[in-house]
Amino acid sequence: GDQKKAETHFIEAVNIVPKSYRNRFALLKFYIDTKQTKEAQNCAAYILSMPYKESHRININIRKQALEFLKTIASLEDTTNSY
């Protein structure tokens, strides 16, 4: 119920302002918090594919956090697959 409704609102915010790093980051955090790993990976990858300017520090910070999430997931998958 509420989780699906929240996801819908986050996605609507992304669709209203598609170039907004903040809206996409809010969606990414939602996916992480709700343990929707595949969706979070897709969202993080999309953030990294977005154009950015070096002068926009908030966007650079969001990109770094998205990259760190993907690295963490990759290392977890490596340890899971090594058994």
Side-chain angles (χ1 to χ4, degrees), residues 15-64:
N15 290 334
I16 290 169
V17 188
K19 294 180 181 178
S20 170
Y21 270 77
R22 288 182 178 161
N23 290 349
R24 288 196 188 274
F25 187 60
L27 180 61
L28 173 59
K29 289 193 322 188
F30 169 77
Y31 285 141
I32 292 169
D33 291 345
T34 57
K35 300 185 180 9
Q36 297 182 63
T37 307
K38 188 48 85 181
E39 289 84 355
Q41 285 176 288
N42 291 339
C43 190
Y46 192 90
I47 287 170
L48 293 175
S49 77
M50 293 172 68
Y52 68 98
K53 294 179 183 173
E54 293 290 337
S55 59
H56 293 156
R57 288 202 331 223
I58 186 74
N59 294 355
I60 300 299
N61 188 21
I62 289 171
R63 289 175 60 82
K64 284 180 183 174

Side-chain angles (χ1 to χ4, degrees), residues 41 68-81:
Q41 285 176 288
E68 284 303 313
F69 167 75
L70 289 175
K71 285 180 179 178
T72 301
I73 292 300
S75 69
L76 290 174
E77 288 175 349
D78 285 347
T79 59
T80 304
N81 293 335

